[in-house]
Each structure stands twice: as structure tokens, then as C-alpha cells.
Amino acid sequence: MSEHTEGHYKVDSFNLDHTKVTAPFVRLAAKKVGEKGDVVSKFDIRFCQPNKEFMTTGAIHTLEHLVAEYIRDEMDGVIDFSPMGCRTGFYFTIFGDRDEEYVAGHMSSVLKKVAAWDKPVPATTEKECGNYRDHDLEGAKEWAAKWVSGIEKKGWNCYLK
């Protein structure tokens, strides 16, 4: 195992000073250019203030199902929407050179729909989901509404209070 000094980890989020950011936010975490010139952008979509709050597994799981399905109606080139292990947000990966404001606008549109969701959560059967019993629609709706409200109040920038 190699030793690391602060700020020199291979994983972007390990280098982020979690004490200096204010959730909710959208932050460009990485941008990669492939051998053929394809650009892939990865964003940190943070819902919870790091080390102060976190989502339950049921709420984060339901958010993942709803956003992963419906963000594709808002944006082209979506690759993935994946929960963070710390349960404070998600990584959103997309083809193209996108900026935070663009992603925040589209994410806000989807999360407004999630906050008002009144239909069954997609893909929640034993056949469709690896942990179909662990969903929390009400929790997902609360976190979606909180994210939208926070972005509307302070904007998407992680360093603004």
C-alpha cells in the first residue's frame, strides 16, 4: 500500500476538502478525453453536508432509480448516475464537455419531478432490482425537495454559503 500526502490521492473526491464545501451543490469532479477525442465529464451532485448528514439507503436507492431513469429524458449522453458510498450524494457521468450550471439546471428539473412523484418507483421488483425491498419514496422526495430548495437559494457552487 502506498502512502499519500494530503491532496495527492488518485481519487478526486479524496482530495476535496469536505470541510470547505456547502451542500447542496454541483461540482465538476473530473474531465477525461479519450484516445479518439471523446470527452467524458464526471460531476459530484451533493445532497448532504459532508460529515453532518447523510441519506438512508432506502432514500438514496430510490433517488438513484428515479434520477437515473428520468435524467435521460433531460440530457443526451448520460453514462451513469451512481450513489456515493458516504451516502451524501451521487456521481453523474456524461459524454461531452458540460459545465456545472448546465448540469445543475437539468438536475433541478428532474429533482422537482421527483419531489412531486406520485407514481410507482420504476424497476423495484425482484427481477429488476438487486435489493428491491430497500426503497423509501418519501425520503427520496424529501431529499429531492431539499436539494432543489438549496440550489434555488444559494446556487450550485460548492463554495458559496
Side-chain angles (χ1 to χ4, degrees):
M1 179 177 238
S2 63
E3 291 194 25
H4 292 276
T5 58
E6 187 175 334
H8 293 87
Y9 290 104
K10 295 174 187 168
V11 177
D12 170 77
S13 66
F14 295 171
N15 295 312
L16 175 68
D17 185 341
H18 287 75
T19 67
K20 302 245 188 282
V21 296
T22 303
F25 60 80
V26 174
R27 180 182 68 88
L28 179 64
K31 190 181 299 183
K32 305 281 184 189
V33 180
E35 291 178 13
K36 297 182 180 180
D38 291 337
V39 177
V40 175
S41 300
K42 180 174 106 175
F43 294 88
D44 174 341
I45 310 293
R46 200 66 64 125
F47 281 67
C48 304
Q49 185 61 36
N51 299 305
K52 304 287 183 200
E53 56 186 356
F54 60 90
M55 291 179 268
T56 64
T57 59
I60 203 168
H61 190 187
T62 301
L63 274 167
E64 179 221 356
H65 275 236
L66 291 169
V67 176
E69 182 71 9
Y70 296 107
I71 193 69
R72 287 163 167 85
D73 295 337
E74 291 282 328
M75 301 171 72
D76 293 328
V78 172
I79 297 170
D80 194 29
F81 184 74
S82 306
M84 295 176 176
C86 61
R87 295 185 286 152
T88 62
F90 296 83
Y91 286 112
F92 177 58
T93 310
I94 187 167
F95 281 112
D97 188 4
R98 309 294 184 165
D99 65 22
E100 293 153 337
E101 185 174 14
Y102 175 84
V103 170
H106 288 286
M107 193 61 62
S108 187
S109 179
V110 170
L111 289 170
K112 285 177 184 175
K113 293 173 188 170
V114 170
W117 200 259
D118 64 354
K119 297 176 269 203
V121 177
T124 56
T125 69
E126 185 176 15
K127 181 179 176 182
E128 300 163 328
C129 179
N131 193 8
Y132 74 100
R133 292 182 193 98
D134 188 22
H135 281 277
D136 176 6
L137 178 57
E138 290 308 310
K141 289 168 66 169
E142 288 173 18
W143 281 109
K146 183 177 178 182
W147 191 91
V148 169
S149 174
I151 295 297
E152 287 176 350
K153 285 179 187 162
K154 77 160 195 73
W156 50 262
N157 190 305
C158 65
Y159 296 110
L160 297 178
K161 296 198 182 271

